[in-house]
Amino acid sequence: QALNNRSAISSSEVAKYESGYVVCAVIAALYLLLMPLAGLIFCICRCRGKYGGRIDPSYKSMTCKRNSLILLLGLTSLIILAGVACTFTANQKTTEEMGPSVQTMRHMLQNFRSFLDSIPNSLEIIANDFSIPKDKVMADLKDIGHVIGLFIYSNFNQTILPLLLNAEKTAQDLE
């Protein structure tokens, strides 16, 4: 509800909500800037022979192996970078595709609310329309009530009344 009303959103709420994203963005920027820079400095110093000790002349034949490892490391880094770029692209596409769905969902919920609000009126209309058949059925049952009542009373007199009189007589005998 607060997102629909722009005036109800305070800057402190926005800062709290966005702080996690800002921290992640700063860490990512530092990583993207400092890691390649540190690797470049290390490689330059290593290639100039400043760090990592002296190379023994017998190890000069390992140049091919070293170059192969550098190439594989570079390819792996490029594949990881491509994966990160694909992830960001997929996230952006998903966000763009979900935008209309959110609007549609909001519209559907408004329609559902209006439907729920109309239910009491519909029930009242049905109840009012039911009064006509109800009055007709009640009028038909008025005449039949006396006939059914006599039938029940005669069956009551034939089966239940003798049993009740017998039970009353037994109760009096026991006293």
Side-chain angles (χ1 to χ4, degrees):
Q1 291 292 344
L3 293 177
N4 293 336
N5 186 3
R6 301 273 186 214
S7 63
I9 301 173
S10 67
S11 59
S12 64
E13 289 176 351
V14 172
K16 257 192 237 181
Y17 178 75
E18 296 293 330
S19 63
Y21 294 111
V22 171
V23 169
C24 287
V26 168
I27 291 171
L30 288 174
Y31 182 78
L32 288 174
L33 292 175
L34 295 180
M35 288 304 288
L37 183 66
L40 181 65
I41 291 171
F42 179 74
C43 286
I44 290 172
C45 292
R46 180 73 178 121
C47 288
R48 290 177 162 240
K50 301 281 184 184
Y51 298 104
R54 300 278 178 230
I55 298 176
D56 191 17
S58 63
Y59 290 113
K60 291 276 186 189
S61 63
M62 295 192 59
T63 304
C64 180
K65 185 177 182 182
R66 193 175 324 131
N67 288 338
S68 299
L69 288 175
I70 289 171
L71 181 66
L72 287 174
L73 180 63
L75 285 174
T76 304
S77 297
L78 285 175
I79 290 172
I80 290 173
L81 181 63
V84 169
C86 287
T87 302
F88 282 120
T89 304
N91 185 31
Q92 184 62 30
K93 294 285 184 188
T94 303
T95 302
E96 289 171 1
E97 292 297 322
M98 292 299 288
S101 299
V102 171
Q103 294 298 330
T104 304
M105 181 62 82
R106 191 173 294 143
H107 182 69
M108 284 175 40
L109 287 175
Q110 288 172 349
N111 288 344
F112 185 66
R113 274 192 211 123
S114 65
F115 173 71
L116 287 179
D117 291 340
S118 71
I119 288 176
N121 295 337
S122 300
L123 290 176
E124 189 172 324
I125 290 169
I126 290 170
N128 290 339
D129 289 346
F130 177 69
S131 64
I132 295 169
K134 181 184 81 170
D135 293 340
K136 175 75 171 132
V137 169
M138 293 305 260
D140 289 345
L141 288 178
K142 246 184 204 176
D143 298 334
I144 219 166
H146 184 67
V147 175
I148 292 176
L150 288 176
F151 178 73
I152 292 172
Y153 184 73
S154 67
N155 281 340
F156 182 75
N157 279 339
Q158 290 175 0
T159 56
I160 304 292
L161 194 57
L163 292 174
L164 287 176
L165 290 174
N166 191 12
E168 182 183 10
K169 183 180 172 194
T170 306
Q172 287 174 355
D173 289 343
L174 290 175
E175 286 180 358

